[in-house]
Amino acid sequence: MMRPTPPDVLPLRHLLTTDGLSRPQILSILDLAESFLPVGARAVKKVPLLRGKTVVNLFFEPSTRTRMTFELAAKRLSADVLNLDVAHSSTRKGETLLDTLRNLEAMQMDMLVVRHAESGAADFFARHAAPHVSVLNAGDGRHAHPTQALLDMFTIRRHKADFTALTVVIVGDVAHSRVARSQIHALRILGVPDIRVVAPRTLLPVDIETLGVRVVPHLETALRDCDVVITLRLQRERMQGTFLPSEGEYFRHYGLDAARLALARPDALVMHPGPINRNVEIASAVADGPQSVILEQVTNGIAVRMAVMAQVLGRAPGQESAA
Ligand code: NCD
């Protein structure tokens, strides 16, 4: 007799956040991504898994990496991909999100990949989507960016086998970063014991310590003996009012330069979700240096997004986790 699959390893219908995922769920996505990674190195970069499925990219905010790699991931899985050009779409004529959803459903789409400036936008689409439609969150406000966090976990795992022995530093504009939030949840779920967060007070969320991280006031102290440094962009588009004295002063206190990086372990990884602002949060020499895996993160993002899409659309009807 077949044993029922425990709920913590059931495939997801949607991916909206890393908060509340189980360790087996994350690991199964990372393992599947590992199997997709070689596809990108083949002469024919395609597998037929999602042939006949329709994926819609709906990006209300600017994006280079996330949008392109979601599109590439869907195409490498042989899905049909539509990209709604929001700036020239009927949302500019006042069409609501719900009406946009209903119309895309009328075009028989199977999956919606959504980025929006409002926290909760992806959840809204997921709540209202027809039962066969899956929603992937490609970043909502300051809330979550789950595929970014998963591709970061994937990148870390490829270099550092054991999450439970790691020290990870996250430095920069944590307050406005959906990436940092999703990373912190994922790192905690995977058992990372020491997550150090460094930022000017004005760029730290008030609830940060409840997420299970340690706030360290000085970057130099935080970097000592760490295994991974994640740098974040100053997300000015989400700042209202003045949060910072000047970019020069920010770099003097919080910029990752070669002298500071030397305080970390010699094999420490340097990461950044992109887009980078050179010599604002990270020195050019460090971004392009031997410890940087910033472009590897981009390549890995394709395999991880393929894995998420394959899991979500490949699940058996009714065999899914509530998340
Ligand atoms: C991030 C985002 O949009 O949240 N970028 C990304 O998706 N790789 C981070 C940022 O914009 O700084």
Side-chain angles (χ1 to χ4, degrees):
M1 207 177 80
M2 259 180 47
R3 274 193 294 161
T5 316
D8 64 351
V9 288
L10 281 175
L12 302 164
R13 174 180 162 198
H14 306 294
L15 181 63
L16 305 175
T17 168
T18 50
D19 188 10
L21 291 180
S22 70
R23 192 168 170 275
Q25 271 170 332
I26 294 186
L27 293 178
S28 76
I29 292 169
L30 302 192
D31 291 344
L32 188 57
E34 201 66 56
S35 75
F36 284 132
L37 200 59
V39 174
R42 290 192 201 149
V44 179
K45 302 181 185 64
K46 254 192 199 311
V47 289
L49 243 77
L50 297 190
R51 198 165 50 193
K53 300 285 187 189
T54 303
V55 176
V56 176
N57 280 327
L58 190 56
F59 278 61
F60 293 89
E61 270 194 334
S63 174
T64 300
R65 277 149 294 275
T66 307
R67 202 184 73 72
M68 303 295 269
T69 56
F70 260 116
E71 181 170 351
L72 262 183
K75 286 182 166 164
R76 287 187 184 175
L77 291 167
S78 307
D80 295 315
V81 188
L82 301 176
N83 293 295
L84 184 68
D85 179 2
V86 172
H88 300 105
S89 74
S90 291
T91 55
R92 289 291 139 107
K93 299 181 185 170
E95 189 164 55
T96 65
L97 290 187
L98 193 54
D99 284 328
T100 305
L101 173 67
R102 292 289 171 252
N103 280 268
L104 293 171
E105 285 174 347
M107 297 174 206
Q108 297 158 324
M109 65 151 175
D110 300 288
M111 180 184 285
L112 190 62
V113 179
V114 58
R115 166 171 287 194
H116 199 285
E118 290 295 323
S119 300
D123 298 63
F124 173 87
F125 280 111
R127 258 197 325 277
H128 291 94
H132 73 282
V133 170
S134 290
V135 177
L136 304 186
N137 184 5
D140 64 324
R142 324 171 172 196
H143 171 235
H145 193 350
T147 58
Q148 177 69 45
L150 292 174
L151 76 88
D152 295 332
M153 299 308 114
F154 181 80
T155 306
I156 293 172
R157 190 174 75 160
R158 297 204 95 234
H159 291 269
K160 314 268 172 209
D162 183 9
F163 282 102
T164 66
L166 290 184
T167 297
V168 177
V169 173
I170 302 178
V171 54
D173 182 2
V174 181
H176 300 100
S177 179
R178 52 198 176 203
V179 174
R181 233 164 231 284
S182 285
Q183 286 169 335
I184 290 167
H185 290 306
L187 290 165
R188 297 267 301 151
I189 295 162
L190 292 172
V192 172
D194 191 0
I195 308 170
R196 305 171 183 171
V197 168
V198 190
R201 216 179 259 282
T202 48
L203 296 180
L204 269 179
V206 279
D207 66 341
I208 188 72
E209 265 154 336
T210 65
L211 300 180
V213 302
R214 206 146 57 84
V215 174
V216 180
H218 300 291
L219 182 55
E220 287 79 0
T221 325
L223 287 172
R224 223 164 279 278
D225 296 324
C226 77
D227 302 284
V228 178
V229 195
I230 299 173
T231 48
L232 300 170
R233 184 177 67 89
L234 294 172
Q235 291 142 83
R236 294 198 179 277
E237 72 278 17
R238 285 192 257 284
M239 295 181 194
Q240 275 144 16
T242 313
F243 280 78
L244 292 165
S246 74
E247 286 184 351
E249 189 161 342
Y250 179 82
F251 187 73
R252 266 196 302 287
H253 289 101
Y254 301 99
L256 186 65
D257 60 13
R260 288 194 172 126
L261 180 59
L263 299 167
R265 287 188 194 276
D267 60 351
L269 302 179
V270 173
M271 304 179 71
H272 193 305
I276 61 173
N277 287 141
R278 289 172 180 269
N279 305 317
V280 177
E281 69 268 8
I282 185 164
S284 245
V286 172
D288 303 330
Q291 287 167 257
S292 168
V293 292
I294 295 173
L295 294 177
E296 222 176 285
Q297 288 172 264
V298 178
T299 307
N300 291 343
I302 306 167
V304 169
R305 292 183 169 120
M306 285 172 80
V308 171
M309 289 178 159
Q311 264 211 3
V312 160
L313 284 189
R315 76 193 189 280
Q319 274 286 290
E320 65 207 21
S321 138

